[in-house]
Amino acid sequence: MRSGFDLLKDCLISMRFDILTIFPEFFAGPIGGGPFSCGLLKRAISAGLVSVHVHNLRDWAEGPHRQVDDTPYGGGPGMVMKVEPICRAIEAIRAMADPPVVALLSAQGRLFDQTTASRYRAAGRLVLICGRYEGVDRRVADMVVDEELSVGDFVLAGGEIAALNVIESVSRLVPGAAGNPESVESESFTRGLLDYPQYTRPADFNGWRVPEELLSGHHARIERWRREAALELTRRNRPDLYLKLAGDPERREEVSRRRGEGHFV
């Protein structure tokens, strides 16, 4: 039987993650090593703000070998993850606590972004299914999960690394998890822009100088430089984001000014 302290701690947890994987050893748990034993995630877990629960998919597989994959219909290379054990696992995990958002990590999914991270944070509970092999039976994406999610236009061997991306991104939005809350509000993608460039001492290194505006001590001048530098960095490195700003009525004037200066392409 669980103690009253354990029940109270569960009530205080602000964000719960459940990971469904065939390689639970990849995560090594939040204690004694692994990705949850350092930095922001360690602090958030230790403070009771975030909890992470790793589940072995094979616990819901049948047969002596606990098989979770099979050959694809229609032929082709590799193996495909089966729908039955995933469906059983999700039913069991959904029954453990409040109804979660369930996402399948897949190269065919919708691209994960800061807006999605904020939505997951608001939900308070997220289940991440880590795909493997040649993929997952399509019925999982169509019938079992809430959404299919990709962390980028590239292919990984499995969804475990992608799950860590999502967990850290969402955990940073939990109040008290980040050391400085202002850093979460002003960083890249929060305002539709990349973050402005950052510098620290020394002011001059091998002739590479910090921009004079940052050394001026003039707050309005510094803020103006940062705003312009963020726009320019976004234009250069993420033109897709920059072009979106041109269609945003609240930001159009800012982008139009840049266009007049010859920066908009």
Side-chain angles (χ1 to χ4, degrees), residues 106-113 149-156 162 165:
S106 161
Q108 288 80 36
R110 186 176 56 81
L111 194 63
F112 178 71
D113 57 18
L149 199 65
S150 169
V151 295
D153 295 339
F154 50 87
V155 178
L156 297 168
N165 278 256

Side-chain angles (χ1 to χ4, degrees), residues 29-41:
I31 299 174
F36 306 122
S37 66
C38 55
L40 180 144
L41 288 176

Side-chain angles (χ1 to χ4, degrees), residues 65-127:
H65 301 294
R66 298 293 183 182
Q67 185 175 350
V68 296
D69 61 332
D70 208 334
T71 55
Y73 278 125
M79 304 291 279
V80 176
M81 294 184 73
K82 294 162 62 69
V83 62
E84 301 103 320
I86 293 177
C87 190
R88 294 189 201 104
I90 294 304
E91 288 178 356
I93 293 172
R94 277 181 169 143
M96 292 178 185
D98 294 334
V101 175
V102 181
L104 169 65
L105 293 158
S106 161
Q108 288 80 36
R110 186 176 56 81
L111 194 63
F112 178 71
D113 57 18
Q114 194 68 18
T115 300
T116 308
S118 297
R119 178 163 55 84
Y120 288 164
R121 165 65 197 103
R125 187 170 177 220
L126 177 63
V127 179

